Amino acid sequence: MVQPDTARRGVLGGNALSQADGVRPGTINKAAHMALKSNGGPGWQAAIERLQQKVRSGAHAAAGFQDGETYPDGTPVAQVAAWDEFGTKTAPPRSFMRKTITDHKAEWPKLLAAALKATNYDVDKALGMVGEKMAAQIREEIASIDGPANAPLTNLLKDRFPMGGYSIDDLRKAANDIRKGVTAPAGKPLVWSGQMLRSVTSQVKEGATDD
């Protein structure tokens, strides 16, 4: 996974993966203080030491698209996510990933602090819980985004091939039909076969990465 929240490289990277990558060492450190600053009960010192070790090692939670996830025609899901996130020459950007980060990043330290308490300060379990929440927030954004609207050709293809899988000839015929005035109901911009929505996952990274 790679980071989409700073530049185009964030979603494209070396292998076209995308990631909401907000629960990194700084967030862990902030969450640790939130969870532990007023708690001097049993295990407090040991928890502090475990958290500090995780911070030093660069452990973090990541959510997004895993390498190897593809559409039936072999197109990487993360590549399609990158096209949606940043746009192409023929399609506007629909930035579901960056919007998820903007809308929710401030919540993640509090979520991690609560997860640490709920797991008796098990950092890996807590990060896993927050990663799952991050993935759910990405899926919610994909499902809820309503603009920019699809092009008429996209709507026609979605109507004719609700699970995708159309051929070049199908595309040409649809384009020709659009020129003849054929129309189709407006579809949701980022929802087609559901493959991208199903492909959003999370994981706990044990060390610092450059992706």
Side-chain angles (χ1 to χ4, degrees):
M1 293 185 176
V2 295
Q3 304 169 47
D5 50 330
T6 54
R8 178 175 292 270
R9 177 183 174 277
V11 167
L12 295 179
N15 47 9
L17 302 178
S18 56
Q19 171 183 300
D21 192 50
V23 185
R24 278 191 169 272
T27 310
I28 296 175
N29 198 31
K30 183 176 180 181
H33 285 292
M34 292 173 65
L36 302 174
K37 65 183 179 182
S38 61
N39 186 348
W44 180 86
Q45 188 59 47
I48 285 287
E49 291 173 359
R50 289 196 301 272
L51 288 169
Q52 289 174 336
Q53 182 177 0
K54 287 290 183 181
V55 169
R56 288 193 295 269
S57 70
H60 62 282
F65 302 92
Q66 297 282 356
D67 196 6
E69 289 287 337
T70 64
Y71 288 90
D73 66 356
T75 304
V77 174
Q79 180 64 73
V80 175
W83 291 334
D84 287 330
E85 180 73 21
F86 292 109
T88 68
K89 291 181 179 179
T90 59
R94 298 177 174 94
S95 301
F96 65 94
M97 185 69 76
R98 286 173 291 175
K99 189 171 187 303
T100 299
I101 294 169
T102 298
D103 289 351
H104 298 290
K105 190 171 184 177
E107 304 168 12
W108 296 337
K110 293 179 182 179
L111 289 173
L112 182 55
L116 286 165
K117 289 184 177 181
T119 61
N120 196 28
Y121 305 105
D122 185 315
V123 180
D124 289 330
K125 288 182 180 179
L127 284 172
M129 291 171 64
V130 178
E132 290 173 4
K133 180 63 175 179
M134 292 162 63
Q137 290 168 339
I138 295 169
R139 288 190 289 267
E140 289 169 4
E141 186 60 35
I142 291 172
S144 65
I145 197 167
D146 57 6
N150 289 326
L153 176 58
T154 301
N155 283 329
L156 186 57
L157 288 169
K158 284 186 174 183
D159 188 55
R160 291 179 174 177
F161 306 98
M163 297 306 294
Y166 57 87
S167 67
I168 292 296
D169 288 341
D170 294 328
L171 175 62
R172 289 171 178 161
K173 184 178 187 308
N176 188 50
D177 289 343
I178 289 291
R179 288 191 288 271
K180 292 178 179 179
V182 175
T183 61
K188 288 192 68 68
L190 294 181
V191 178
W192 194 328
S193 68
Q195 180 68 52
M196 186 168 72
L197 196 65
R198 292 191 299 272
S199 297
V200 179
T201 60
S202 64
Q203 63 178 295
V204 175
K205 298 272 193 173
E206 289 300 329
T209 65
D210 294 328
D211 4 315

